[in-house]
Amino acid sequence: METLGIVFTELGDGYLRATMPVDARTHQPYGLLHGGASVALGETLGSSAGALMAGRDAAVVGLEINANHLRAVRSGTVTGTTRPLHLGRSTQVWEYQIEDEAGKAVCVGRITLAVLPKPPASSRP
């Protein structure tokens, strides 16, 4: 998260929001927001929200993620918001939308998480 400049900005009733700069860290070779950076923001949002919902005795891991890239962004900041579609005992599905500073959709996607028992604390450093 730190490498890409992702910052959580809001936790609300049924959503989690974060921002990410569009700069040299997140550009692809043509100077546009890299699709992989958008997916990294989507996965950060979905996995973090999923972990919050799973509780202290569980862990979440990603099973599948997809993205549709809708609009190019060259600079500024994008904002991602994730909301749950399914919160089951063994799986969760989250949708995410990433918008530019004008509120226009840049990327939409979904992440599916497995909910697992939290492993015991490791004795390794």
Side-chain angles (χ1 to χ4, degrees):
M1 289 178 39
E2 185 176 327
T3 301
L4 296 179
I6 297 171
V7 175
F8 291 110
T9 59
E10 192 175 348
L11 174 63
D13 188 20
Y15 70 92
L16 179 61
R17 186 166 288 142
T19 59
M20 182 177 69
V22 181
D23 59 19
R25 296 173 288 180
T26 57
H27 278 160
Q28 43 94 305
Y30 298 114
L32 302 172
L33 175 62
H34 195 293
S38 294
V39 173
L41 176 57
E43 178 138 13
T44 298
L45 282 163
S47 294
S48 298
L52 290 171
M53 293 302 295
R56 297 162 67 112
D57 296 329
V60 297
V61 294
L63 293 174
E64 189 269 343
I65 190 165
N66 69 58
N68 294 97
H69 306 289
L70 308 173
R71 180 179 316 283
V73 181
R74 290 189 177 277
S75 63
T77 301
V78 291
T79 301
T81 304
T82 192
R83 299 177 193 283
L85 294 175
H86 167 73
L87 297 174
R89 285 180 298 146
S90 60
T91 61
Q92 296 179 7
V93 180
W94 293 81
E95 65 182 352
Y96 62 90
Q97 180 163 325
I98 300 170
E99 298 175 342
D100 64 14
E101 291 175 336
K104 294 182 180 178
V106 171
C107 178
V108 295
R110 244 183 1 261
I111 180 169
T112 303
L113 305 170
V115 180
L116 305 171
K118 191 173 231 169
S122 173
S123 60
R124 291 185 286 179

